[in-house]
């Protein structure tokens, strides 16, 4: 299993946007033992900056204008709403000449729009993301823009390694696919847990016991995949499935007429359509 890097190997990062998504990165970095001095955050309001400073041992600025000129982050990570990007990118231009790398998880804005907002020479990587960064188990599907070289890609890896797994992709539209299968996956996972618990409750198990059992079982299942990264998933699953046993009876229902595969394909398709809608140019 990959060893988490020590704090010494993480470059400095300015996290622009510490909301639902951004704050999971801060939680993950701190959980991984990263030196808080390497992390600074930016939010839009002074009230929120104060709240975050009370919660985390990091510097937090209210607005990009409040970031002192002496702050020269190796990586500027963007986790603001898509609607704020015009002003955020314009305000981030100051970091381009000092060779900061831009790492963006803003789903609704493509690389070309980032590069045009930041100006020539801006090294940008776009990434899918998910909230499991909270427990340092996030995953990021990355694609680099035209000015992102090996040095810059390495910086992105170094910033993300303490909070999850990075997978560099071959095409920008694969970032949307990565979002579809990993960015939104926690919600699917919880929906599956709810479905299992509801089925058990309907069959007579008290709700509290059903919920506790399902949460523990799926958390354990996730951990099992995590600790066996090299075992192909079908092989792993078949190893758990005794011919004629209970697991096989359940799997036969899940896979009948390829219904699970068809359902997952529909889910991915719906997300890709949603992403395409968000990318339509403004009128
Ligand atoms: N939530 C997810 O699961 C998820 C997953 C993958 C990617 N994303 C992407 O992550 C981005 C953020 O999503 P979110 O759910 O974290 O949104 P959010 O909870 O609304 O957080 C947005 C953050 O951006 C800050 N902000 C807004 N305008 C700003 C500005 N002009 N300058 C500096 N900071 C500004 C906000 O400041 P305040 O705190 O002061 O309001 C807040 O901290 C989105 O683009 C989304 O596509 C989200």
């Amino acid at each position: 299993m990959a060893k988490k890097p020590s704090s010494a190997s993480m470059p400095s990062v300015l996290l622009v946007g510490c909301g639902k998504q951004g704050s999971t990165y801060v939680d993950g970095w701190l959980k991984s033992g990263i030196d808080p001095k390497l992390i600074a955050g930016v939010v839009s309001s002074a009230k929120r900056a104060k709240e975050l400073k009370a919660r985390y041992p990091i510097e937090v600025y209210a607005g990009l204008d409040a970031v002192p000129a002496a702050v020269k982050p190796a990586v500027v990570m963007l986790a603001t709403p898509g609607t704020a990007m015009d002003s955020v990118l314009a305000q981030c231009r100051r970091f381009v000449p000092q060779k900061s790398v831009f790492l963006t998880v803003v789903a609704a804005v493509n690389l070309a729009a980032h590069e045009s907002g930041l100006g020539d020479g801006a090294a940008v990587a776009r990434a899918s993301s998910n909230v499991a960064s909270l427990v340092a188990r996030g995953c990021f599907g990355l694609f680099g823009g035209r000015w992102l070289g090996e040095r810059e890609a390495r910086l992105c890896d170094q910033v993300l390694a303490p909070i999850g797994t990075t997978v560099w992709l071959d095409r920008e539209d694969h970032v949307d696919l990565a979002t579809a299968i990993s960015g939104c996956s926690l919600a699917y996972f919880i929906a599956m847990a709810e479905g299992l618990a509801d089925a058990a409750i309907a069959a007579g198990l008290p709700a509290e016991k059903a919920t506790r059992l399902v949460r523990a079982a799926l958390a354990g299942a996730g951990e099992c995949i995590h600790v066996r990264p090299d075992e192909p998933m079908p092989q792993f699953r078949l190893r758990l499935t005794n011919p004629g046993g209970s697991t096989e009876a359940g799997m036969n229902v899940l896979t009948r007429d390829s219904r699970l595969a068809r359902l997952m394909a529909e889910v991915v398709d719906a997300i890709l359509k949603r992403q395409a809608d968000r990318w339509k140019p403004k009128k």
Side-chain angles (χ1 to χ4, degrees):
M1 209 182 310
K3 195 169 169 278
K4 294 278 177 197
S6 71
S7 15
S9 62
M10 172 148 138
S12 59
V13 60
L14 181 68
L15 176 64
V16 186
C18 308
K20 289 183 289 299
Q21 187 66 20
S23 61
T24 66
Y25 308 144
V26 181
D27 280 305
W29 285 318
L30 296 176
K31 188 180 161 65
S32 291
I34 297 300
D35 181 351
K37 288 194 199 69
L38 294 170
I39 310 161
V42 183
V43 290
S44 66
S45 72
K47 181 170 171 274
R48 181 93 172 113
K50 197 173 160 200
E51 279 169 17
L52 289 174
K53 279 207 263 194
R55 181 163 139 204
Y56 299 121
I58 65 166
E59 189 55 74
V60 183
Y61 304 101
L64 276 155
D65 285 346
V67 180
V71 174
K72 296 188 188 302
V75 175
V76 176
M77 193 159 173
L78 302 174
T80 45
T83 47
M85 287 309 278
D86 285 347
S87 65
V88 166
L89 293 174
Q91 287 179 297
C92 280
R93 284 179 175 204
R94 61 185 262 207
F95 300 111
V96 177
Q98 64 194 46
K99 305 283 178 217
S100 298
V101 180
F102 298 88
L103 174 55
T104 176
V105 299
V106 179
V109 182
N110 65 13
L111 266 179
H114 278 86
E115 287 171 344
S116 120
L118 289 164
D120 279 357
V124 187
R126 229 189 112 204
S128 65
S129 175
N130 70 3
V131 289
S133 307
L134 180 70
V135 290
R137 289 279 181 79
C139 56
F140 302 88
L142 297 129
F143 184 77
R146 56 186 157 153
W147 287 293
L148 193 102
E150 271 180 35
R151 178 196 82 90
E152 291 81 12
R154 203 163 37 248
L155 284 170
C156 294
D157 279 332
Q158 287 169 341
V159 159
L160 298 178
I163 53 175
T165 300
T166 55
V167 177
W168 286 90
L169 304 166
D170 301 325
R171 290 167 30 179
E172 184 174 1
D173 58 352
H174 287 180
V175 177
D176 300 324
L177 270 170
T179 298
I181 61 165
S182 64
C184 312
S185 57
L186 182 57
Y188 311 154
F189 197 74
I190 294 172
M192 184 174 161
E194 286 177 294
L196 280 174
D198 286 348
I201 294 163
L205 198 63
E208 187 269 337
K209 292 182 197 299
T211 306
R212 267 175 55 212
L213 281 168
V214 156
R215 285 183 88 119
L218 292 201
E223 187 67 18
C224 286
I225 295 184
H226 179 72
V227 297
R228 293 182 189 276
D230 299 325
E231 180 159 14
M233 286 199 284
Q235 181 185 308
F236 195 178
R237 176 167 52 74
L238 286 173
R239 215 159 44 74
L240 307 168
T241 312
N242 289 331
S246 306
T247 308
E248 189 183 67
M251 283 308 303
N252 286 344
V253 176
L254 275 177
T255 57
R256 187 183 305 146
D257 305 324
S258 305
R259 57 167 73 158
L260 186 61
R262 280 189 288 116
L263 182 65
M264 289 297 116
E266 265 181 56
V267 167
V268 169
D269 194 45
I271 296 171
L272 291 182
K273 284 200 177 100
R274 167 84 180 108
Q275 305 260 359
D277 283 347
R278 290 203 289 189
W279 277 29
K280 274 187 190 143
K282 289 178 210 156
K283 296 228 165 94

